[in-house]
Amino acid sequence: MKRILMAALATTALASASALAADLPQRPEYKAAPMMAPAPVATWTGCYIGGNIGGAFGNASATDNTTGASISGDGSGFAGGGQVGCDYEFGGGFVIGARELLDYTSNSKSGTFPGTAFGGLPAVANFNNQWFDTLTARLGYAVVPNVLFYFQGGAAWAHTSTNVGVTFAGIQYGGQTSNTSTGWTIGGGVEWMFVPHWSAFLEGNYMDFGSKSGNVVTPTGFCAVGCPISAKATESNVLVGVNYHFF
């Protein structure tokens, strides 16, 4: 009887302990915080390809070398094309690189020579620039990892033409200087890498293509034996564009 009573008391105690444990709040379950991948750091090392648009602003002049009379004018037009290049970042933000840019342009201007030119014959000059091509080296500094300020300079080529029309006996006779001119360029800008692999830039450049020579001939009159002319062209541009970077 005593053993039965003790067993009953033990069973009751165990049941009460189990019920009390069930009523206690559960211990919270702790989990390790998820590991976040580090944000990519912008780099300028690598090659890129892109496109650009903007404006071209030129100054051109033509001179009658016999009399010294000349005409000059400023023209403007659209510019647009593409570019390809490579950069290398070093020394905590310094960037060196090289770029090839080729743009079409509609830059043109015309004007009338003073009356002393070509022996007093009426004469008009038309200046045109169809395209320009630059091969430049650039040096820049990333003020923050994804914003680059840069300067650039190098060689420039352009197809420029100066057409001079001289009127004699009611008929206009032409002479021109038209070829691919070689010159130099210098400029600078800022480029912003707004997402990985993609950047946008704004820049300005100046180009000088030197002087070229030509000749105007009329059947009779002052230019019967030929009137030598010379032409000079310079051009500035402002361009905006985007690049896709391979790295």
Side-chain angles (χ1 to χ4, degrees), residues 151-186:
F151 296 96
Q152 60 191 10
W157 299 268
H159 188 278
T160 59
S161 64
T162 300
N163 300 294
V164 177
V166 175
T167 302
F168 178 76
I171 301 174
Q172 189 176 73
Y173 299 88
Q176 70 174 14
T177 66
S178 178
N179 50 27
T180 299
S181 303
T182 301
W184 55 270
T185 180
I186 190 170

Side-chain angles (χ1 to χ4, degrees), residues 99-180:
R99 187 187 72 178
E100 169 79 15
L101 181 144
L102 176 62
D103 272 18
Y104 162 82
T105 176
S106 60
N107 189 3
S108 62
K109 179 68 176 178
S110 62
T112 302
F113 275 91
T116 56
F118 307 108
L121 299 175
V124 176
N126 295 292
F127 307 104
N128 293 281
N129 174 218
Q130 283 117 0
W131 55 262
F132 61 84
D133 180 13
T134 62
L135 177 60
T136 54
R138 75 172 181 172
L139 173 64
Y141 181 73
V143 293
V144 294
N146 63 334
V147 177
L148 176 71
F149 285 88
Y150 59 90
F151 296 96
Q152 60 191 10
W157 299 268
H159 188 278
T160 59
S161 64
T162 300
N163 300 294
V164 177
V166 175
T167 302
F168 178 76
I171 301 174
Q172 189 176 73
Y173 299 88
Q176 70 174 14
T177 66
S178 178
N179 50 27
T180 299

Side-chain angles (χ1 to χ4, degrees), residues 41-44 89 92-95 138 140-150 189-195 198-202:
V41 178
T43 178
W44 296 96
E89 185 172 354
F94 288 97
V95 176
R138 75 172 181 172
Y141 181 73
V143 293
V144 294
N146 63 334
V147 177
L148 176 71
F149 285 88
Y150 59 90
V190 58
E191 189 166 359
W192 170 43
M193 194 172 294
F194 53 93
V195 294
W198 287 97
S199 67
F201 67 88
L202 169 66

